[in-house]
Amino acid sequence: MKCDPPDSTWNWGLQLQLFPLWSYAAINGTGENRVNRGLMQPFAIRDALVVDADSDLKDLLAKVLKPGIWAIQHVPSNPAALRAAKGKAFELIITSQRTSGVEDVKLLREIRLGRPHTRLIILASESTPADVLASMRAHAFSFFSKPYSLEQLGNMIQLATDAPCWDDGIELQSSTQEWIKLQVRCQVRTADRLLQFMKEISNLPDAEREQVGTAFREILLNAMEHGGGLNPENYVEVEYVRARRMVSCRISDPGPGFTLDMLLHAAVANPDDDPVRHAAVRDKLGLRPGGFGILLAQQLVDQVIYGQAGNEVLLIKYLDTPQPKTA
């Protein structure tokens, strides 16, 4: 897997501020001034490009992208962002919240012609499920349309900056606005990225969106951890169907499967008279605290149906408000 190397952007003033001359002598252990001998290594700055940021976004970036580690270049428009990206490999690009999803997907495609591994987060003033799907095909890192949570955006920016050299990990196999099939690499950060895309695509009332999203994440993480071993070489298959009066999500993992009577470490298997029995089982097995995923999903959607082998599960949520008919 290859990534675009960052350009050699050096900040000598910051280098001297962070590592004064005496520290090099102390590190050397000789009392010699290694800087004067030409042995000092320059300090590399990580580069981010941000388009037309408002004050709220600037405040958020100041908290997440630490000064002295990140150098943030601000540009006023998408054409200016494209010119800047052609001249330098930015580790992270964030689009304007005043442009549309269509405009930002076009920018992403143009940038990735020369910088194919760019991590770009789209902030859009308006979008449609078709725009979000287009951004996934173009390998956007994430997508947020107004109104969005600054806290969730901050978490996604942190995720983008913490992730090592990456390849996308979310591959669309086929997609319409009503039926999406994809493969997802078995990594927690990929699950979080996919959940944000699915929230943008789902076109559900807020309450149902949160319920379906939470249930989906719990079952997806179970599939990645227990079926895929959190091995990035393994993939989970996901299907999403948006019918007029229901939403369904099918998740299939590469593991051997299970039966519910095997899940003594999960809350779903607890007897009525011992609702926390699984905690003792997990502690004895040396497992991390948890085990509530299936039980939580059962409370949030109308049906959780497992296939015969146990490595395939279907989530179904019925809707009071039907989806409008499409042409």
Side-chain angles (χ1 to χ4, degrees):
M1 181 168 58
K2 297 180 179 179
C3 288
D4 303 320
D7 289 357
S8 297
T9 302
W10 311 114
N11 188 328
W12 287 97
L14 179 63
Q15 171 74 21
L16 294 174
Q17 180 182 354
L18 294 178
F19 299 96
L21 300 185
W22 61 264
S23 67
Y24 285 91
I27 292 170
N28 189 32
T30 64
E32 297 178 8
N33 188 333
R34 301 189 70 193
V35 176
N36 291 340
R37 293 168 55 193
L39 297 179
M40 184 177 73
Q41 296 299 314
F43 183 83
I45 296 292
R46 302 177 70 180
D47 291 296
L49 180 66
V50 182
V51 185
D52 191 25
D54 64 13
S55 58
D56 288 339
L57 180 56
K58 288 179 179 178
D59 290 342
L60 177 65
L61 293 175
K63 297 176 183 177
V64 180
L65 305 182
K66 302 300 184 183
I69 298 175
W70 283 89
I72 304 175
Q73 180 175 339
H74 291 271
V75 292
S77 64
N78 281 4
L82 181 58
R83 290 192 296 269
K86 286 181 177 179
K88 177 185 290 187
F90 292 91
E91 288 194 48
L92 175 67
I93 299 177
I94 302 175
T95 69
S96 172
Q97 54 239 309
R98 284 181 272 268
T99 50
S100 68
V102 171
E103 294 172 289
D104 291 345
V105 170
K106 179 182 178 182
L107 173 65
L108 172 60
R109 288 171 176 155
E110 291 174 332
I111 288 176
R112 287 181 68 91
L113 288 175
R115 309 285 188 186
H117 300 284
T118 297
R119 303 177 198 190
L120 186 145
I121 296 176
I122 291 177
L123 307 183
S125 60
E126 57 183 26
S127 71
T128 65
D131 297 334
V132 183
L133 289 170
S135 77
M136 295 174 71
R137 292 190 196 98
H139 300 297
F141 192 86
S142 192
F143 193 114
F144 290 80
S145 63
K146 288 185 175 181
Y148 54 80
S149 162
L150 283 173
E151 180 181 359
Q152 292 177 1
L153 174 59
N155 291 338
M156 188 60 67
I157 293 172
Q158 189 69 62
L159 190 67
T161 61
D162 288 345
C165 184
W166 76 303
D167 197 1
D168 184 67
I170 300 174
E171 301 295 336
L172 282 176
Q173 305 298 300
S174 65
S175 61
T176 67
Q177 295 181 42
E178 293 81 21
W179 193 347
I180 303 167
K181 298 181 181 181
L182 43 84
Q183 290 188 323
V184 187
R185 183 179 288 126
C186 290
Q187 293 175 303
V188 174
R189 66 172 177 266
T190 307
D192 289 336
R193 292 180 53 230
L194 177 60
L195 180 60
Q196 178 59 34
F197 282 121
M198 298 305 290
K199 285 182 177 180
E200 293 288 338
I201 291 170
S202 62
N203 193 25
L204 295 172
D206 290 343
E208 284 84 352
R209 178 184 299 172
E210 289 302 317
Q211 291 166 353
V212 172
T214 300
F216 174 75
R217 185 179 188 276
E218 291 295 330
I219 299 302
L220 179 61
L221 288 176
N222 276 351
M224 289 180 168
E225 180 178 4
H226 302 294
L230 291 178
N231 181 348
E233 299 298 320
N234 292 332
Y235 283 78
V236 168
E237 294 181 0
V238 175
E239 286 190 45
Y240 168 84
V241 176
R242 174 64 154 100
R244 288 203 70 210
R245 292 186 178 273
M246 78 164 202
V247 171
S248 71
C249 301
R250 184 187 71 85
I251 300 169
S252 177
D253 68 59
F258 65 92
T259 58
L260 289 178
D261 59 6
M262 297 168 54
L263 298 182
L264 298 180
H265 61 282
V268 69
N270 290 335
D272 292 339
D273 60 351
D274 192 357
V276 293
R277 182 187 66 180
H278 78 289
V281 175
R282 295 180 72 88
D283 183 63
K284 185 177 181 179
L285 295 174
L287 299 176
R288 60 174 173 76
F292 293 96
I294 298 174
L295 184 63
L296 179 60
Q298 289 177 337
Q299 303 301 313
L300 293 172
V301 297
D302 292 294
Q303 289 185 275
V304 179
I305 304 172
Y306 277 90
Q308 179 176 342
N311 62 352
E312 185 175 28
V313 61
L314 188 65
L315 307 179
I316 298 175
K317 179 73 173 179
Y318 298 109
L319 305 174
D320 294 331
T321 304
Q323 168 87 328
K325 290 184 178 180
T326 56

